[in-house]
């Protein structure tokens, strides 16, 4: 029997003790004495969120296939247990063995969203690992970060020994092998970091120096160690069918946010939306073959007992074999009570036909993402979606029996005008009008149109990385303009409007384009009680405002100021595949309201072709 890290008294006093005991279906158990490397993999948020993350499941499965590596899972303790662990000095532990994280060789932390940054300090602190990489000794684990936020690692540079830039299936094993050899030779931590810095895609922040101009912008960013490279190139899987995938996903004891089998059908996107970081850094689009997906769908459903399978990608409608895959899943599993979930679909006749086969129409609502209220602004962001297509999709849906529609928008996009803002309400009204054009006896009750707007945050490696961001006051003013317009709509009783928190968005904007100086800000906020900032009930903006003051940092410097095209950005040393020249070109196209065709229509010379695969080579095969 395993000895649990928490005793019965503690487990009975906290919410959801199942978050901390491990032992779920399909977990991997190994003898720690019989492996060479122990890797604690952490999602710095609560268990239910972390267990829904596909990337962590893939790496967990991949690492544990090697006999010499034991990979275990770690999640942020919820606030009730956090308090007890601090009071009783219980070190953070991994779920499988219940051993303290500080006893592991590696502590890998996934960086999925900026508002989890204080939770990263929480897990380091609870693990009793020094927060600063510079203070760690030979007995501390190597702390490594990866994931989408690693494309601007600088706000976290002081806290990590290294970052992995790109997709985890590529060079992780080379890194592990070098660690094993380093350990065997009895070499130091620093010698291993130097070995690691030579591997493509690995960034060791301690081996780089930043110099600033008087105005606070970056003057230079240079390696200070001969093993470190001038440019870190992202790593990606070229042939998706050669990549590791999960045959036996871990099944949580309690309901996770995404309580289903997830089948990744492709990576990347052809669309080129100018606000979307994922669409740029995961270029080029690469697809799994139909046979590969059929095989894994069968294996995962059989090994988990889940009753739903979700087809995961940034734009499912662009997957070449979608029809064949959906028909296979319906024929193979529908009679067994397995539901099929299809996120990221464009709403067209084919999609509606598919959804009518796989969903209970009465229970579902359809989701459209126009992103902007006017055609002009949709052209600025390169959405490639016309009002005609949106209304035709709504019309087809309503005739197909749907009567609930969700519309997603952004406020604060570059060049946005009052007409663009009011267009959100006007487009929502047009969708409702389409419904009421159907004869009353053919309608399915009242229509329900819910429009939601998030606030725009400029992200690294997008054409909008040069964009000015709105202030909190400007965001709220824009939301009120939209809200007022909704009140003027004839069908206002069928319409509902929600908007995001402005305080949180402004902070996300600071951290998204932050430099190394923002590390002190994160640490100051954490030390004053900031934790679970992505959860509105725990986010306290006053803590952060005080931290800005203490650290002498300006919010406007990171958010609202204009950036010149030749400014050196904190992330410019990373080669994410899309060239800065391409992003500049797209930024200027946005200002000129020019559309750029998608990757299947025409190559835009973004830089992705040099990886030697994916959509760039489809027509050449």
């Amino acid at each position: 029997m395993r000895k649990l890290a928490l005793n019965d008294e503690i487990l009975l006093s906290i919410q959801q003790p199942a978050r901390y005991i491990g032992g779920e279906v399909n977990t991997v158990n190994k003898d720690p004495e019989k492996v060479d490397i122990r890797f604690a993999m952490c999602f710095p948020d609560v268990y239910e969120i972390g267990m829904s993350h596909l990337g962590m499941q893939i790496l967990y499965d991949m690492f544990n296939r090697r006999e010499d590596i034991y990979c275990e899972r770690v999640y942020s303790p919820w606030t009730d247990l956090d308090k007890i662990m601090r009071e009783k000095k219980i070190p953070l532990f991994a779920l499988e063995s219940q051993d303290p994280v500080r006893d592991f060789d590696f502590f890998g932390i996934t960086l999925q969203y900026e508002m989890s940054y204080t939770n990263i300090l929480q897990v380091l602190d609870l693990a009793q690992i020094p927060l600063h990489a510079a203070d760690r000794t030979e007995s501390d684990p190597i702390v490594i970060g990866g994931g989408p936020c690693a494309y601007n690692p600088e706000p976290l540079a002081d806290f990590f020994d290294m970052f992995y830039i790109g997709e985890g299936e590529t060079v992780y094993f080379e890194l592990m092998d070098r660690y094993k050899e380093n350990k065997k030779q009895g070499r130091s931590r620093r010698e291993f970091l130097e070995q690691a810095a030579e591997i493509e895609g690995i960034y060791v922040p301690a081996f780089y120096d930043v110099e600033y101009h008087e105005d606070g912008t970056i003057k230079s960013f240079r390696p200070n160690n001969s093993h470190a490279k001038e440019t870190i190139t992202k790593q990606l899987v070229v042939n998706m069918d050669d990549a590791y995938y999960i045959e036996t996903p871990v099944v949580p004891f309690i309901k996770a946010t995404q309580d289903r089998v997830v089948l990744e059908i492709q990576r990347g996107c052809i669309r080129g939306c100018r606000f979307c970081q994922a669409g740029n850094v995961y270029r080029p689009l690469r697809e799994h073959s139909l046979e590969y997906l059929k095989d894994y769908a069968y294996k995962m459903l059989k090994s988990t007992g889940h009753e739903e399978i979700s087809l995961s990608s940034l734009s499912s409608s662009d997957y070449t074999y979608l029809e064949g895959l959906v028909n296979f899943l319906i024929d193979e599993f529908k009679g067994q009570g397995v539901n099929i979930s299809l996120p990221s679909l464009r709403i067209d006749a084919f999609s509606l036909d598919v959804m009518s086969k796989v969903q209970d129409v009465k229970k579902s609502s359809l989701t459209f993402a126009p992103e902007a209220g006017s055609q002009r602004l949709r052209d600025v962001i390169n959405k490639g979606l016309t009002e005609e297509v949106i209304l035709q999709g709504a019309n087809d849906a309503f005739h197909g029996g749907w009567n609930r529609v969700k519309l997603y928008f952004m406020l604060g996009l570059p060049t946005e005008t009052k007409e663009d803002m009011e267009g959100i309400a006007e487009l929502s009204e047009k969708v409702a009008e389409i419904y009421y054009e159907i004869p009353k006896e053919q309608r399915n009750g009242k229509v329900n149109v819910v429009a939601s707007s998030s606030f725009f945050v400029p992200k690294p490696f997008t054409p909008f990385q040069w964009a000015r961001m709105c202030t909190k006051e400007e965001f709220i003013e824009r939301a009120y303009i939209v809200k007022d317009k909704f009140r003027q709509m004839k069908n206002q009783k069928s319409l509902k409007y929600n908007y995001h928190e402005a305080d949180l968005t402004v902070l996300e904007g600071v951290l998204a384009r932050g430099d190394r100086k923002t590390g002190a800000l994160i640490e100051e906020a954490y030390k004053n009680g900031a934790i679970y900032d992505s959860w509105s009930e725990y986010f306290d903006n006053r803590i952060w405002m005080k931290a800005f003051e203490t650290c002498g940092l300006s919010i406007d410097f990171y958010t609202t100021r204009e950036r010149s095209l030749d400014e050196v950005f904190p992330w410019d040393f990373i080669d994410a595949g899309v060239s800065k020249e391409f992003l500049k070109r797209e930024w200027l196209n946005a200002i000129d309201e020019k559309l750029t065709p998608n990757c299947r229509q025409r190559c835009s010379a973004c830089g992705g072709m040099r990886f030697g695969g994916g959509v760039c080579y489809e027509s050449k095969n």
Side-chain angles (χ1 to χ4, degrees), residues 330-497:
I330 290 169
D331 294 345
E332 193 77 13
F333 302 111
K334 202 69 169 60
Q336 299 170 36
V338 173
N339 190 34
I340 301 160
S341 166
L342 289 152
S344 310
L345 275 183
R346 286 195 307 283
I347 306 301
D348 53 24
F350 166 68
S351 302
L352 292 168
D353 179 52
V354 165
M355 282 186 279
S356 65
K357 290 177 185 172
V358 302
Q359 287 185 5
D360 179 345
V361 170
K362 289 175 186 168
K363 290 181 182 174
S364 66
S365 64
L366 284 177
T367 301
F368 295 78
E371 310 292 2
S374 71
Q375 193 57 50
R376 185 200 73 81
L377 195 52
R378 281 194 292 277
D379 290 349
V380 167
I381 64 177
N382 206 47
K383 184 64 187 173
L385 188 63
T386 64
E387 185 172 292
E388 185 186 1
V389 168
I390 295 164
L391 296 180
Q392 184 59 53
N395 182 59
D396 291 346
F398 295 148
H399 278 94
W402 277 269
N403 67 345
R404 287 189 284 172
V405 171
K406 291 178 184 172
L407 299 173
Y408 288 127
F409 298 93
M410 268 187 278
L411 277 175
L413 286 161
T415 79
E416 185 177 63
T417 64
K418 189 179 179 189
E419 288 72 32
D420 300 321
M421 299 168 214
E422 292 182 337
I424 291 173
E426 289 163 352
L427 183 57
S428 304
E429 170 78 355
K430 285 175 186 173
V431 169
E433 281 174 351
I434 292 266
Y435 184 80
Y436 289 119
E437 285 170 9
I438 300 172
K440 198 168 185 179
E441 63 278 6
Q442 293 173 31
R443 289 183 215 153
N444 186 17
K446 261 182 70 177
V447 73
N448 180 8
V449 180
V450 179
S452 301
S453 62
S454 60
F455 295 129
F456 165 67
V457 177
K459 296 281 175 126
F461 296 108
T462 68
F464 289 167
Q465 64 183 359
W466 286 276
R468 176 192 180 275
M469 187 174 164
C470 289
T471 63
K472 169 189 167 179
E473 292 73 22
E474 286 170 330
F475 278 138
I476 291 169
E477 185 188 342
R478 289 171 193 229
Y480 281 156
I481 287 171
V482 179
K483 207 173 178 181
D484 287 345
K485 192 67 177 176
F486 266 96
R487 290 196 188 106
Q488 299 168 29
M489 295 296 109
K490 186 177 72 179
N491 293 299
Q492 61 172 290
K493 287 185 179 173
S494 298
L495 308 177
K496 189 180 175 189
Y497 175 59

Side-chain angles (χ1 to χ4, degrees), residues 175-191:
L175 183 69
M176 298 295 106
D177 290 341
R178 290 206 185 189
Y179 179 79
K180 258 176 77 170
E181 183 59 28
N182 199 73
K183 201 174 170 181
K184 191 174 159 189
Q185 301 291 336
R187 296 191 192 122
S188 69
R189 180 188 191 89
R190 183 178 175 85
E191 285 172 303

Side-chain angles (χ1 to χ4, degrees), residues 157-268:
D158 289 344
F159 313 121
F160 281 82
D161 295 302
M162 64 176 72
F163 292 91
Y164 184 118
I165 312 295
E167 297 170 356
E169 301 97 328
T170 47
V171 297
Y172 250 128
F173 284 161
E174 185 182 347
L175 183 69
M176 298 295 106
D177 290 341
R178 290 206 185 189
Y179 179 79
K180 258 176 77 170
E181 183 59 28
N182 199 73
K183 201 174 170 181
K184 191 174 159 189
Q185 301 291 336
R187 296 191 192 122
S188 69
R189 180 188 191 89
R190 183 178 175 85
E191 285 172 303
F192 168 63
L193 292 176
E194 288 180 338
Q195 285 276 301
E198 293 177 352
I199 300 172
E200 288 295 338
I202 300 295
Y203 165 52
V204 180
F207 295 163
Y208 296 79
D209 293 326
V210 193
E211 266 190 272
Y212 297 92
H213 292 292
E214 278 185 31
D215 66 359
T217 58
I218 293 174
K219 184 178 180 182
S220 67
F221 185 94
R222 293 194 190 95
N224 60 31
N225 185 297
S226 60
H227 296 268
K229 299 176 288 296
E230 291 274 350
T231 302
I232 310 293
T233 304
K234 79 163 180 191
Q235 300 303 291
L236 93 169
V237 174
V238 177
N239 184 341
M240 289 294 287
D241 284 3
D242 290 343
Y244 287 89
Y245 204 64
I246 327 148
E247 291 186 10
T248 55
V250 176
V251 182
F253 281 137
I254 54 177
K255 188 168 174 57
T257 313
Q258 306 286 333
D259 205 12
R260 56 182 76 113
V261 160
V262 180
L263 190 64
E264 184 184 33
I265 59 177
Q266 61 188 10
R267 270 185 207 167

